[in-house]
């Protein structure tokens, strides 16, 4: 564990692990596969930061190959998205950053950040695709699971379209664009993701201040 030490005059010394120190700066990390435990931790961090200050942005850094759809949607339903819906639980704006990779559910969370505040680093990779799953057992059970996968695919397609619509693009055209893209693994560079509407900018260097982000 990495430890940072901070001194308080008259109160001795207090130490922080690096992630707790970043949390104080309203920076949270989504690193590695998205599972229920990772989702619970990130949701807890978002709710904690929301309780501290509702107007200041939260900076979410993503380096993930994706993972559980339900765990990812639990995170998605927590932060405030630019299009207000009843499912949004936290009111602080979320700025998203792709470092390394944002694949599958990671790319959806990247795209769901506040419009104009979704970023990718120059050498990062983004990948979108349809959900996958396997079912075994009786034929009726397999049919039930197949129906559920198709429902989830439609749900994710609508989420991508909502957050990644191009200027002048109709909802129907946006849905068709993502239905085609999600058919197979669809890899994009940072610039291609910007053109596709998943991110708003490619950060070549660190902004000088929060207002420049």
């Amino acid at each position: 564990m990495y430890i940072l030490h901070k001194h308080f005059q008259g109160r001795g010394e207090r130490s922080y692990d690096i992630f707790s120190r970043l949390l104080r700066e309203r920076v949270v990390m989504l690193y590695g596969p998205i599972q229920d435990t990772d989702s619970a931790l990130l949701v807890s961090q978002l709710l904690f930061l929301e309780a501290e200050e509702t107007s200041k942005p939260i900076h979410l850094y993503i380096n993930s190959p994706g993972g559980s759809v339900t765990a990812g949607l639990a995170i998605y339903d927590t932060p405030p998205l630019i299009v207000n819906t009843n499912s949004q639980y936290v009111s602080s704006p979320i700025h998203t950053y792709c470092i390394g990779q944002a694949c599958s559910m990671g790319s959806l969370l990247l795209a769901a950040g506040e419009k104009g505040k979704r970023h990718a680093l120059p050498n990062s990779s983004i990948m979108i695709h349809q959900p996958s799953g396997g079912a075994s057992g009786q034929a009726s059970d397999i049919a039930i699971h197949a129906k559920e996968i198709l429902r989830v695919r439609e749900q994710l397609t609508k989420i991508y379209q909502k957050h990644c619509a191009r200027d002048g693009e109709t909802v129907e055209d946006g849905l068709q664009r993502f239905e085609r893209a999600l058919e197979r693994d669809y890899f994009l560079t940072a610039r291609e993701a910007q053109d596709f509407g998943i991110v708003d900018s490619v950060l070549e260097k660190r902004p000088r201040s929060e207002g420049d982000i």
Side-chain angles (χ1 to χ4, degrees):
M1 179 180 293
Y2 297 95
I3 301 294
L4 293 179
H5 296 281
K6 186 172 183 178
H7 295 271
F8 294 86
Q9 188 173 7
R11 296 178 60 188
E13 181 182 81
R14 179 176 296 179
S15 62
Y16 298 94
D17 69 86
I18 187 64
F19 295 107
S20 297
R21 182 66 182 86
L22 289 172
L23 189 64
R24 286 174 56 86
E25 302 298 328
R26 304 181 69 80
V27 173
V28 292
M29 308 289 292
L30 178 58
Y31 193 91
I34 302 172
Q35 303 297 336
D36 290 337
T37 51
D38 308 289
S39 174
L41 175 60
L42 186 52
V43 168
S44 299
Q45 291 173 327
L46 294 173
L47 293 175
F48 169 76
L49 294 174
E50 160 71 7
E52 281 204 326
E53 178 60 66
T54 59
S55 61
K56 292 183 179 179
I58 298 170
H59 303 276
L60 171 60
Y61 286 80
I62 300 171
N63 183 10
S64 173
S68 167
V69 171
T70 54
L73 289 177
I75 300 170
Y76 172 82
D77 281 341
T78 303
L81 308 176
I82 187 62
V83 181
N84 290 325
T85 67
N86 293 331
S87 67
Q88 295 163 7
Y89 197 75
V90 175
S91 58
S92 299
I94 307 292
H95 299 188
T96 55
Y97 307 80
C98 175
I99 53 174
Q101 64 176 339
C103 301
S104 191
M105 184 53 64
S107 67
L108 185 139
L109 295 174
L110 173 67
E114 184 180 11
K115 193 73 170 180
K117 304 296 183 180
R118 305 169 303 171
H119 313 286
L121 271 64
N123 296 307
S124 59
S125 299
I126 293 90
M127 188 270 284
I128 60 177
H129 64 181
Q130 63 179 307
S132 61
S136 60
Q138 299 180 3
S140 57
D141 291 331
I142 295 175
I144 290 171
H145 283 276
K147 183 178 179 180
E148 174 63 8
I149 291 175
L150 292 175
R151 183 195 69 82
V152 172
R153 174 182 172 172
E154 181 180 1
Q155 179 184 14
L156 297 179
T157 302
K158 290 180 179 179
I159 292 174
Y160 276 114
Q161 184 279 325
K162 180 174 73 171
H163 296 288
C164 306
R166 291 168 171 165
D167 292 339
E169 184 179 55
T170 65
V171 173
E172 182 179 354
D173 288 341
L175 289 173
Q176 291 178 355
R177 176 163 63 95
F178 273 95
E179 285 172 357
R180 292 191 298 268
L182 293 172
E183 186 64 30
R184 300 291 181 187
D185 289 353
Y186 191 84
F187 287 90
L188 304 101
T189 65
R191 291 294 179 190
E192 290 170 341
Q194 183 181 9
D195 294 338
F196 211 73
I198 295 175
V199 298
D200 303 301
S201 66
V202 178
L203 295 181
E204 299 287 350
K205 59 182 179 180
R206 183 177 178 180
R208 294 181 180 179
S209 65
E210 185 175 287
D212 296 330
I213 297 177

